[in-house]
DNA sequence: TCGTTATGAATGAATG
DNA sequence: CATTCATTCATAACGA
């Protein structure tokens, strides 16, 4: 679930070329290739959160070039990524609050007194949004805008060998 | 389990410093101190299986007294503990079944009983003093995380529904 | 020191 | 959308 805590893991691609799973997975479930993951992440950070079935289809088509993939994989990917990002933030936020409270308390008298009032505020008072994404239900229109912002080529930075294996497919968000 | 390892992890230096258990490893991933482990185990054996976000938070707060810990750790702990218990039981069941098959069915009833020997969540509906709060002088709002505090009854109803966990071959995914 | 085991962490896939 | 489950990956802990 959570991601990017204190560890940063980079899943290596399975050179084999074919796909199915990056690592030596028993091919039971889909596992994004590095390229697929890269693009998906790219889309996500560009603001895309809940792609429409249409978008999913297109994304899936694009990604299929890098390996076996079904649209439902894309669907789930976004679903999970979004949920986990949210969930993570929630947990972390609360932990931070807890930490702040506890450090401001005397270690020994730190009875569990107020530690229990439900710290619920989920209010996003933050304003450091890197992207103009509406934290909540984003609409199709918004996604389009963001998606188009994704026109940069950063997502095409391949690494040596991959460069060879993958023809220069234009992955610019042509869909939508 | 051996082949295909192609993941490289770069551990962001982590202060660590926790660990109270055995070896003092100052490493990246959390490891429960003996006290933390003890309490978690108590909660688990008291019937708690899937703590809600709130409960996780509370538990985490409590455990933080015994050492560095984040709510996600608690979350994972329960997730893993439950999964592995289930997994273990599944394996045992399988073995039993295999045994039944290889042996005359005359022993069926006998073994059948054994199939459920596995102690499922003891219905400890009794309030348990899981935390040594007394040691710090109780305060009015002093809340103990007894199993009873978890009004989420679901945690006490995992008696057997989970075991009948047969993947409903129902792929009603009708994407696009 | 190395192989194994236990377990923390992550994530794909569902389900309600 | 949140919550849960299964399976896998990674590594700390441990035994020889």
């Amino acid at each position: 679930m959570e991601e990017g805590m204190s560890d940063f893991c980079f899943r290596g691609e399975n050179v084999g070329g074919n796909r199915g799973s990056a690592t030596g997975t028993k091919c039971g479930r889909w596992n994004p290739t590095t390229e697929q993951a890269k693009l998906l992440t790219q889309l996500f950070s560009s603001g895309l959160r809940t792609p429409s079935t249409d978008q999913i289809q297109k994304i899936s088509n694009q990604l299929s070039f890098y390996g076996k993939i079904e649209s439902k994989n894309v669907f789930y990917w976004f679903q999970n990524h979004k949920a986990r990002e949210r969930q993570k933030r929630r947990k972390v936020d609360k932990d931070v609050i807890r930490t702040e409270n506890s450090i401001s308390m005397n270690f020994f008298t730190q009875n569990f007194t107020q530690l229990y009032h439900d710290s619920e505020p989920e209010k996003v008072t933050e304003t450091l949004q890197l992207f103009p994404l509406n934290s909540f239900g984003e609409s199709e229109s918004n996604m389009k805008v963001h998606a188009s912002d994704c026109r940069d080529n950063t997502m095409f930075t391949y690494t040596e060998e991959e460069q060879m294996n993958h023809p220069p497919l234009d992955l610019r968000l042509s869909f939508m």
Side-chain angles (χ1 to χ4, degrees), chain A:
Chain A
M1 145 216 187
E2 321 290 14
E3 218 289 79
M5 298 331 275
S6 53
D7 297 69
F8 301 91
C9 296
F10 299 87
R11 167 158 301 157
E13 169 68 304
N14 85 331
V15 240
N18 70 5
R19 201 4 9 62
S21 53
T23 50
T25 310
K26 302 299 184 296
C27 254
R29 73 182 191 189
W30 170 78
N31 226 338
T33 64
T34 38
E35 285 308 317
Q36 294 177 326
K38 191 179 297 181
L39 181 51
L40 286 169
T41 300
Q42 206 83 187
L43 287 169
F44 189 84
S45 56
S46 79
L48 186 57
R49 290 289 179 285
T50 312
S52 65
T53 52
D54 227 39
Q55 299 176 308
I56 289 177
Q57 191 58 62
K58 287 167 177 153
I59 294 173
S60 179
N61 285 336
Q62 291 290 348
L63 297 185
S64 70
F65 178 77
Y66 297 105
K68 190 165 179 292
I69 188 174
E70 294 171 62
S71 46
K72 72 168 190 174
N73 300 137
V74 175
F75 169 78
Y76 283 138
W77 191 90
F78 276 95
Q79 211 66 76
N80 285 319
H81 210 69
K82 179 169 55 175
R84 279 160 183 153
E85 180 196 53
R86 205 196 327 272
Q87 175 185 86
K88 179 169 72 178
R89 179 169 39 239
R90 220 179 311 162
K91 287 194 196 332
V92 173
D93 282 359
K94 291 189 175 182
D95 280 347
V96 171
I97 290 174
R98 180 193 67 199
T99 300
E100 294 176 340
N101 286 337
S102 59
I103 59 176
S104 64
M105 270 186 272
N106 175 304
F107 182 77
F108 290 107
T109 57
Q110 169 203 292
N111 42 42
F112 315 93
T113 316
Q114 56 166 253
L115 286 179
Y116 274 111
H117 63 266
D118 264 8
S119 52
E120 58 60 52
E122 180 57 38
K123 258 19 189 133
V124 179
T125 51
E126 278 298 351
T127 336
L128 70 173
Q129 314 255 351
L130 296 175
F131 297 93
L133 37 84
N134 29 12
S135 321
F136 307 87
E138 54 278 291
S139 62
E140 309 304 316
S141 54
N142 279 319
M143 292 193 280
K144 290 190 176 185
V145 177
H146 298 319
S148 57
D149 283 343
C150 241
R151 238 186 283 275
D152 65 278
N153 307 11
T154 62
M155 64 177 82
F156 300 110
T157 42
Y158 303 125
T159 57
E160 351 56 68
E161 87 278 53
E162 294 178 325
Q163 191 73 277
M164 303 163 59
N165 300 332
H166 306 308
L169 176 63
D170 187 338
L171 289 181
R172 274 171 300 182
L173 296 302
S174 53
F175 45 86
M176 65 189 84

